[in-house]
Amino acid sequence: MRVVTDPGEFSALCRQDRCAGLITALVPTMGYFHAGHLSLMDHARSRAGRVYVSLFVNPTQFGPGEDLAAYPRDLDRDAALAESRGVDLLFAPEPGAMYAPDHATVVQVPALAEHLCGQSRPVHFQGVATVVAKLLILAAPSLAVFGQKDWQQLALVRRMARDLFLPTEILGRPIVREQDGLAMSSRNVYLTPEERAQAPQIRAGLLLVRERYAAGERDPAALRQVLAAHLAERLPLGAPDYLEFVDRDSIQPVAAADERTLAAVAVRLGRARLIDNIILAGDEVE
Ligand code: AMP
């Protein structure tokens, strides 16, 4: 596996692969890999002749007071893990290489950033859209693979790629979880043992909501109440940031839940802010 830090070099290597007629896939990440990241790499490997992983803790998607400085980093460990999954090229640029001192261009997808994480993290999705656009332009991959854990991000990247005629197919992959149901996240390392013990209740609450939907409940306010009550009782260390019911593609709140509805949650738990989601009519196995 080759590791490159220079955007021009990354772009040139990707171009060579394209010109050789290879199907190429990019997995954008912020590193500190866990099994969720590795599942995206495995999927990319199964679909493409060349697999690229970008590892970049993108400063523009962190707001003031967020965890940019504290975000966990371990390039050597990540490089070894990526190599073990058959990744061909790891692109790990410095912030200064991705953003010139006088950089002035941003990408916004406002309609997809109005709700959920867009509310509590106002600059977040502009940062995400801008950096993902840069990465997709540099690599011009046939495919780019994202996790459904960040469902809103996936929906927004899909819309951006379509709107800008980017020549990349955007793929979403299922959430990888710990045995007790907690969605894997690089930020789970922030949790104390007590917080970690309560964290799986986020998933448990979402499953409860899915059960109520299956039993016929369609009122988002009633479903929200089920989730809020569950979290208040079982996750007392957590403070919900949002509990929302939105259309899976438009990320707009629904008046009545249906098979396209996504239940999405963010909870502040100690130093961490954890997100999770579920399609109400989904049949994912536990
Ligand atoms: P991050 O490094 O957290 O920015 O995530 C990089 C990619 O991995 C994004 O597409 C995430 O949605 C995806 N990802 C993060 N956690 C998980 C998980 N538990 N399961 C599946 N994909 C994930």
Side-chain angles (χ1 to χ4, degrees), residues 28-30 34 36-37 40 146-147 149-150 153 174-176 184:
T29 80
M30 298 205 302
H34 50 65
H37 296 112
L40 305 185
F146 294 83
K149 170 158 173 291
D150 301 272
Q153 166 176 284
I175 302 175
V176 177
M184 289 196 183

Side-chain angles (χ1 to χ4, degrees), residues 11-24:
S11 170
L13 290 168
C14 297
R15 189 164 50 243
Q16 276 176 18
D17 290 339
R18 281 200 308 285
C19 291
L22 291 163
I23 294 187
T24 63

Side-chain angles (χ1 to χ4, degrees), residues 201-210 227 263-265 276-278:
Q201 295 301 331
I202 298 173
R203 168 68 168 170
L206 287 169
L207 290 174
L208 196 58
V209 163
R210 193 177 65 174
L227 189 50
V265 178
D276 203 345
N277 64 72
I278 198 168

Side-chain angles (χ1 to χ4, degrees), residues 205-218 222-223 226-227 280:
L206 287 169
L207 290 174
L208 196 58
V209 163
R210 193 177 65 174
E211 270 172 33
R212 297 296 278 267
Y213 174 84
E217 183 60 75
R218 294 291 181 270
L223 292 169
V226 168
L227 189 50
L280 290 183

